[in-house]
Amino acid sequence: MNRGRRSNKRGQLPLTFRRHGGPRDGAGRPKSKDPGVPHEMRPELSSREPLLLTLKVVDGLVSLRVRRVLRSILGGLVAAKERLGVRLVQFSVQKDHVHFVAEAQSRQALSRAMKGLAVRLARAINRVLARKGAVFAERYHQRVLSTPRQVRNAI
């Protein structure tokens, strides 16, 4: 005798669970249609070759050349100059991106320096514009300047 149990003549009813995560449409972090800089391992660096680095700004942000924003960027660069572990040789602030010519001892040192610099600049820009959220659109772009002509053209 089945005490306390009910038998179902039609069979067992299916259990449905709410799903969190996993492979489904719209799952995961939002991805842009144009990923920009690919997420590949960056090459090893030589401390003898300078690099051209670019940080792009998200769409919809005011120009970086607006006086108060430019002042905050310059202040962030001056404060970061001694703390990066990477030598910033030149920089250029454009409307929607910033260029740097830099020298780094290793790939890891450059990675740490660019993360720190991006955070420092983003905080300064957000503070001046009284906003929150991402400032830089993607990872930094790097190009090794292996000839004097490339360095001259970059500067």
Side-chain angles (χ1 to χ4, degrees), residues 55-57 61-73 92-99 121 125 129 135-136:
L55 280 173
K56 291 185 180 180
V57 176
L61 197 68
V62 300
S63 171
L64 296 179
R65 297 180 70 116
V66 172
R67 186 174 301 242
R68 60 194 173 127
V69 176
L70 184 59
R71 264 194 230 133
S72 71
I73 291 172
S92 172
V93 179
Q94 302 301 313
K95 184 176 103 174
D96 61 351
H97 63 279
V98 183
H99 289 289
L121 293 180
I125 292 168
L129 297 177
V135 172
F136 296 106

Side-chain angles (χ1 to χ4, degrees), residues 9-48:
K9 292 182 181 178
R10 287 187 243 167
Q12 185 174 1
L13 295 175
L15 294 175
T16 57
F17 297 100
R18 290 176 39 183
R19 292 177 51 176
H20 294 284
R24 66 182 193 285
D25 291 338
R29 68 178 179 82
K31 296 171 183 78
S32 68
K33 293 186 182 10
D34 178 26
V37 181
H39 281 259
E40 297 173 352
M41 184 173 245
R42 296 184 189 270
E44 281 299 325
L45 300 175
S46 166
S47 60
R48 305 186 79 199

